[in-house]
Amino acid sequence: MITFKLNGKTVQGEEGQYILQVAQKYGIEIPTLCYHKALEPAGMCRLCTVEVFDGRRTRFVTSCNYPVWEGMEVRTDTEAVHKGRKLIVELLLARCPEVPLLKELAKKYGIEEPRFKKEKDDCILCGLCTRICERMGNAAISLTGRGTQMKVDTPFHIQTEFCLGCGACASVCPTGHIKLEDITKHAIKPIPSEYDMGLKGRKPIYVPYAQAIPNTPAIDRSKCIHFKTGGCKICAEFCGVGAIDHTQKDEVVELDVGAIILAPGFRPFDPSRYDAYSYSKLPNVVTAMEFERILSASGPTMGHLVRMSDHKEPKRIAWLQCVGSREMHHCDHPYCSSVCCMYAIKEAVIAKEHSGADLDCTVFYMDMRTHGKEFERYYDAARERHGVRFVRCRVHTVEGVPGTDDLSIRYVTDEGNLHKETFDMVVLSVGLETSPEVLELAEKLGLSLTDSGFCRTASFAPVATSREGVYVCGAFQGPKDIPQSVIEASSAAARAGALLSGARNTLTKAKEVPEQKDIRGERPRIGVFVCHCGINIGSVVDVPAVRDYAKTLPYVEYVADNLYSCSQDTQDTMTQVIKANNLNRIVVAACTPKTHEPLFQETLVAAGLNKYLFEMTNIRNQDSWVHKSSPKEATEKAKDLVRMAVSKVALMEALPEAALDINQRAMVVGGGISGMVAAKTLSDQGYQVDIIEREPVLGGQAVNLYRTWQGEDIQQNLKALVESVGRDRNIQVHTGAELTQVEGFVGNFKSTFQAGNTRGEIEHGITVLATGCYEYKPEEYLYGKDPRVLTHQELDRKFIDGDPSLKKIKAVVFIQCVGSREPQRPYCSRVCCTHSIESALHFKKANPDMDVYILNRDIRTYGERELLYREARQAGVIFIRFSLSRKPKVTAARDCLEIEVMDHVLQRPVLIKADLLALASAIVPYKDEKLAQFFKVPMSEDGFFVEAHAKLGPSQFATDGVFLCGMAHYPKPIDESVAQAEAAASRAVTLLARKNISVNGMVACANPALCSSCGVCLEICPYSAPAFIQKGPFAGRAEINPVLCKGCGLCVSSCRSGALNLKGFEEGQIIAMINEM
Amino acid sequence: MKILGVKSLERISEEFSRNIYFPEGVKVNVGMASCGIAAGAKAALERALRECPAGDSVEVRQTGCIGFCEEEPLVEILAKGKPRVVYRRVTEEKLPEVFRDYMEEEFNKKLILCQMRDPRSVLEEDRENPQEGVIPLKGIPFLDEIPFYAHQFKIALRNCGYIDPDSIEEYIARGGYFAFVRILAEMKPQEIISTIKNSGLRGRGGGGFPTGIKWESCSRHPGERYIICNADEGDPGAYMDRSVLEGDPHSVLEGMMIAAYAIGSTQGFIYVRNEYPLAVKRLVSAIKHAEVLGLMGDNIAGSDFSFRVKISTGAGAFVCGESTALMASLEGKVGRPRAKYIHTVEKGFRDGPSNLNNVETYANVPAIMLKGAEWYAAMGTKYSKGTKVFSLVGKVKNTGLVEVPMGTTLRQIIYDMGGGIPRKRKFKAVQTGGPSGGCIPEAFLDIQVGFDELTKVGSMMGSGGMIVMDQDTCMVDLARYFLDFLKEESCGQCTPCREGIKQMLDVLTGICEGRGKEGDIELLEEMGSMIQKFSLCGLGTSAPNPVLTTILYFRDEYEAHIQDKRCPAGVCKPLFHYEVDGKACTGCHVCALKCPQEAITGNKKEVHKLDQKKCVKCGICYEACKFDAIVVR
């Protein structure tokens, strides 16, 4: 350390530091123009000149490059220094009178007009650009010429190849003098951000996207200048903890594993292969992924909806569906990408939310495929409530409107009329495809793929690939949306888990945790740690001052400041400090507890302290970031925040975390395919399972189904499944049984059932609800009145039985959406389109001359089911579209059924004479209110159970320990049911495998003495944590089950008598904080 | 042969001193430095070689310059037993006459500059005086009797004009390399440094930093050390170093070698201007000769010490005389200075400890080492020891190089040696220290030359330029001239120097062109003061000197320009006109004949008239009038 005087104050700097660096540390402002912390100081502008007294004489030196030495006296504020600086600014202003930077400086120095001859330059010759270029290892530009002729230039004044176009020069230029295009021959363009679909640039060091895991920046070697020239390495200098290592190499890591799960995802179809949409030519034709980024708050336009060509807000946007899907051109795909209809609607609605209702959104589509849970409702709302326009037409060409950036589209409506419309933007709803890398991987692994390039799986084993031990999930298995991907992910994990269950916990290591110190009765001994967060906090808040201030607060025994409190070495030091100083409460003033609280709590635990003896206060997000321009006030605020945290933490006490044993038995309600698969999966992992089935036999709806869409024989597979369940020693089947009573909660359920005359009781840790649905019995189209009118299941039964009457049929009609997508049942039943087509093909195969009609509203053969649709059309099945307002009319003639329908092509009614009418009737849930009550699980309007989270928790309930699969969730085909059954089991295993769970200590607690027994808490709690005490002196008052409590605080805030308190946020603690404000 | 010790040097010395002082036949020495060549010495030398009548017994040799540039070409002729005579202005045509004059012993005074009393150098006191016993010529002055040489004492220039610069043997014969070879055998590096420190030798390049201290601190810093010789003499009108390099290159090499041994360096560089081709040529040959004799290279003179010197030629940037810029240029980079907060003796050339001295400093070193520190310290003033070479130019009768002991007064140099101002003009000022030196007025003519003494009056020693100005010099124009030079030579890196000098020049030009306004002087002072304090290198910090000293001593001239729009010296053309003084005009008509514009008319013996409309103020009439009848108004 070097001690010297700075403006009369004694200060300290490090050996080798320059005056400027020390002055900046002490908050003394010295103006600079040619200084940049990444570069060796050059002392060119001389603006930072200060006076140095060495004991004999005073010298004028530039503070940027004058090293500090012991005993020197520096003055930065003398009259001579000020006068000199002012004159320098005046001289530079004369040189560059129009440069804003200098105008501003001149204003600061009170210069109105330079007294000198004015020039018209805009370069102040600070040399930052040339020095940084040299630092980049390149020196493509340098200061050429001498004296007044000096300028920044390339060799021989020509653009060079040597310039890498890195832009470092332009980025450091303070006046905007540097024009890259004068320097380089390379095209100047930012590095396109992969995440922002190239709409935005990114840096060579970048975090791929905000939620990336690991959330650490990476260096793009193909773009980093260091890897091209060997120069730069500035990042390594700037990194306060020395985390950057340019010598790292890619490694080949060999792992021994028992199972592999493939989740390589998809890539969006690239429409630039397609001339007709002019995607590569016209900037306002964007893909849906690009549009997503434009809508995103973190996207290239900060969520402001503008078009890319001129950044104007669009008034009219068109979505073109099926780009790269349902097409047979050489660059296209025959399958349906499953997700595009829904995302287009979502984008249209969000676009309207961004830009206002008068934004005109039009979706051009072929069939609207909103077959997911709640999707149809969303579609209806988009159309009717948000005013999104839907036009059924596949648009073939997008053209630019000459002289503008607008786009023109021509299309034909159902009525045959040609329209031409102009839009500001066109969004291409691009489909999903498997990337070539994944295809290569599949080949390496020897996996069987479908013709469309997806992994081939069987309906009864939807995540098993053709190679044993290799599982697949997500879009590589077939185009699908998030919920289905998440279901499959869990399913694949279950399959892998079943394979490896014998090895469970053999590689895990128990963490050694020191015994928790009992601090009851101890006087608070608080440790305060203040974080610089590199420069995030330290550059604004005077961290040492906050630290010193904390020392003055009551009960504070220890203070420290850290560059990065979250780094591993700091954590280790903290552990030592806590032990050595016998601290019993800790405050960390740093960033957000949301991300870092668990880390510090772990440190407390490692030091033998209860993790709740901790308070974190956010002096970054809530202080240094928002008060950048007022460092003094920010420092004061940081002190306030620390003071509040200290006052609160002093009142904190050790909170216990209730531990709960988990009963290892599982119960599955429902013995259909889903229930059986769930039970089988649990059993495969070694758990005992009880199946409760209401019917006398297992099998559910599948008993009446003929073939899967892939052509597999359902009865055969079902039989094998039922037999394997029957053989399974882990599984107890209770048929003809009904639950009568359920008690308990996660880990400890006690269920009672009635089967005939017998009554049984099961104690189980978790529950899977797989109660399924049933087929709607129509009341229209002569159903039940004429024997020739059948539902799907009835028709399938005939197929299964090989009914001879089918052979006589010459014409058959299918009517879709019977009972579905109707006002009383507005959801799509998802499976019927495929089912009808599959049956139609069956007829056609048996008798190619048979007339087969499918009357539909939209054909929703999503994914590779689309191939069936194509096959059916090729086989001559006739598809006639009708609308809800003009449904077909069925009348019974003597020898046939007469079905009249308005033909959408001919625009006139046609009459079909059929021998058989198959109705694609809806799938209806049981709406079992009692069951919902037993497990406290919610049910939707339609009667389907509501999962914990539509996207991220599709196979579980918000209620812990209760899981969901199959059609009880939503109508779905067998493959999806099997996947979800496995997923539900997989989720259940995450609980069962732990044997016991500890719950959060920050839970509500009731003081029965104050309770008024009003019961509001019982009503309001979403987790059923409060209950009335049954016995004893406080019977009838509330108590909280800490195991069920999630610490949300709803009950606490609703308790009128003040009987409830949330541990860790107790009233006394909050008031103590408020009092300190 | 290789030099292996003092003995081998003595053998050479004995052999070649005969050649220098006691030639078998006649010896003709033609001064062949650049100044001599410019005056026609080369042609004279060639003719001498071609035509010398006496055949074998006449030896024609080239030498360096003895300093009296005014009288070049100088040819010295000597023969055994005869006086050693220096002939002046010996052009090719005059050569036979001069030769005959000596051979036939006519000794025509008009041809002769002087005769030599004792041509030995300061290093050779123990050697027999070759002129002893020779009967002096009557009526012809000895060298030291010529006013120009009266006050001189030659240390740095000790061999210039006396030896053939291309002959290492002649250098040895005059005591050269003895110091170095003895040191190698007898002295420790620290002893050398002590000697130099005790001698009081200060850097002759202008900075005046004590040489011994510089060597000492360089020797203390670890790393590959470098010895650098600054031969980038860039001051206009100054040519001290050139003369040494052309006349006595070995003295510089020997000085560098001593420094290298003292500091612990094995590699030296001479950074010399490419505009000095002759100096470069002679350095190259000197290095070659030293290598041949084993005085340079590995294991010099049989010792463990190795040293090599490389020559690097500069491209003529004035700023490259600044040490850090010079080193940057040596490294192959653009010659721009850097801040010297970390001294070059610690981190200089290629970041190694580097000792940089100029030519004259090194040339002094062998003499000091041979004669001792006390001998050297006995000369000069309290803080400036030894002698200093000045190039005396400008409005002075005798121009040339003079080497005088420190402490000699300016008046002695200008009037006694320089012979005063020609054409009865009045002395106005003397500018010392090169373009960024200051102008010293008559009032300070009696100050003694020395580093601190000159600084005190606002000028500086610099490398030794001394420009004398008379009444016809406009001080404002002079300041403008120097600033213009410095503007061109500023490297451009730092704002005060680049922008400041440019703007100061703009103000000065305005004053010279009659656009001067109230406040200009104060503005110049303000800027000058800032540039002095805030600039990065010596060029900037000294650049305002000419302006500030002229304002200090000749403020009235500035005021005349600004307030009266008048240039008293008659230099700034927009601010004066010529008139015919009716009282003084004799009507000789010379002016009218010479006027290129035919602006002057008049009959003979009548007062002439000057038509102001036609006059372009070329000044030819003013120069031509012998009666001072053309006056500046």
Side-chain angles (χ1 to χ4, degrees), chain A residues 475-493:
Chain A
F476 179 41
Q477 195 268 353
K480 58 176 62 71
D481 58 8
I482 294 171
Q484 192 59 27
S485 296
V486 171
I487 287 169
E488 277 181 3
S490 296
S491 167

Side-chain angles (χ1 to χ4, degrees), chain A residues 319-446:
Chain A
W319 276 260
L320 306 189
Q321 296 305 104
C322 300
V323 175
S325 307
R326 302 181 69 188
E327 261 287 18
M328 285 300 290
H329 291 303
H330 63 282
C331 57
D332 264 308
H333 300 303
Y335 53 84
C336 161
S337 291
S338 296
V339 300
C340 332
C341 284
M342 198 54 206
Y343 78 55
I345 301 172
K346 177 203 71 177
E347 285 179 358
V349 170
I350 295 178
K352 278 170 135 343
E353 281 169 7
H354 276 240
S355 290
D358 55 344
L359 176 73
D360 184 306
C361 292
T362 309
V363 180
F364 292 90
Y365 70 105
M366 299 205 289
D367 292 288
M368 189 44 64
R369 292 186 169 170
T370 47
H371 48 274
K373 190 172 182 179
E374 301 290 323
F375 286 9
E376 187 75 14
R377 264 204 179 78
Y378 197 89
Y379 171 38
D380 292 342
R383 199 178 55 239
E384 282 150 26
R385 217 164 49 156
H386 299 288
V388 178
R389 189 160 62 112
F390 290 87
V391 177
R392 195 188 292 271
C393 177
R394 189 182 182 106
V395 174
H396 56 80
T397 310
V398 178
E399 287 168 328
V401 177
T404 72
D405 292 338
D406 300 342
L407 306 157
S408 155
I409 284 175
R410 266 179 297 173
Y411 63 94
V412 184
T413 56
D414 264 0
E415 295 78 32
N417 301 326
L418 180 73
H419 296 262
K420 194 174 168 183
E421 279 189 54
T422 303
F423 292 92
D424 300 317
M425 269 179 105
V426 167
V427 182
L428 303 179
S429 295
V430 291
L432 279 51
E433 66 183 12
T434 306
S435 72
E437 294 82 16
V438 174
L439 295 175
E440 201 182 305
L441 173 72
E443 201 184 323
K444 257 188 219 157
L445 288 169

Side-chain angles (χ1 to χ4, degrees), chain A residues 1004 1017-1018 1020-1021 1026 1040 1045 1048-1056 1060:
Chain A
C1017 53
L1018 274 73
I1020 207 162
C1021 176
I1040 306 287
C1045 178
C1048 72
L1050 269 179
C1051 58
V1052 178
S1053 56
S1054 65
C1055 181
R1056 294 160 217 193
L1060 293 170

Side-chain angles (χ1 to χ4, degrees), chain B residues 22-56:
Chain B
F22 312 106
E24 290 300 318
V26 180
K27 196 173 170 198
V28 180
N29 289 333
V30 183
M32 280 285 283
S34 289
C35 46
I37 293 171
K42 195 164 184 235
L45 176 78
E46 275 162 9
R47 182 158 189 181
L49 286 169
R50 213 164 49 233
E51 295 181 8
C52 271
D56 294 345

Side-chain angles (χ1 to χ4, degrees), chain A residues 43-46 49 60-62 65-66 91-92 95 115-117 119 124-125 143 145-148 150, chain B residues 317 336 339 341 488-496 498-499 502-503 506 523 526-527 533-536:
Chain A
M44 286 169 66
C45 74
R46 318 301 289 178
T49 299
F60 289 83
V61 300
T62 36
N65 61 353
Y66 191 88
L91 285 167
L92 286 174
R95 177 188 176 88
R115 289 169 285 175
F116 312 117
K117 192 172 74 186
E119 288 166 28
I124 56 169
L125 290 169
L143 292 168
R146 202 160 71 193
T148 50
M150 184 186 253
Chain B
R336 289 186 191 124
Y341 302 144
E488 293 300 317
E489 295 298 340
S490 161
C491 83
Q493 268 189 117
C494 80
T495 319
R498 181 190 65 238
E499 304 296 329
K502 178 174 73 187
Q503 296 293 2
D506 186 58
L523 183 58
E526 183 191 340
M527 287 163 84
K533 288 175 192 141
F534 278 57
S535 290
L536 185 144

Side-chain angles (χ1 to χ4, degrees), chain A residues 897-959:
Chain A
L897 291 161
E898 283 182 354
I899 298 135
E900 191 196 301
V901 65
M902 175 67 85
D903 186 293
H904 67 282
V905 180
L906 304 173
Q907 287 294 313
R908 54 191 294 181
V910 292
L911 190 73
I912 304 165
K913 294 188 175 179
D915 306 314
L916 182 74
L917 173 62
L919 300 180
S921 66
I923 293 173
V924 188
Y926 287 100
K927 281 200 182 173
D928 191 342
E929 298 279 358
K930 206 166 81 183
L931 193 66
Q933 275 298 315
F934 283 160
F935 293 100
K936 299 173 179 87
V937 294
M939 203 184 274
S940 71
E941 282 179 70
D942 300 324
F944 298 107
F945 287 121
V946 178
E947 61 275 33
H949 189 285
K951 304 256 183 281
L952 304 175
S955 312
Q956 67 210 59
F957 285 104
T959 310

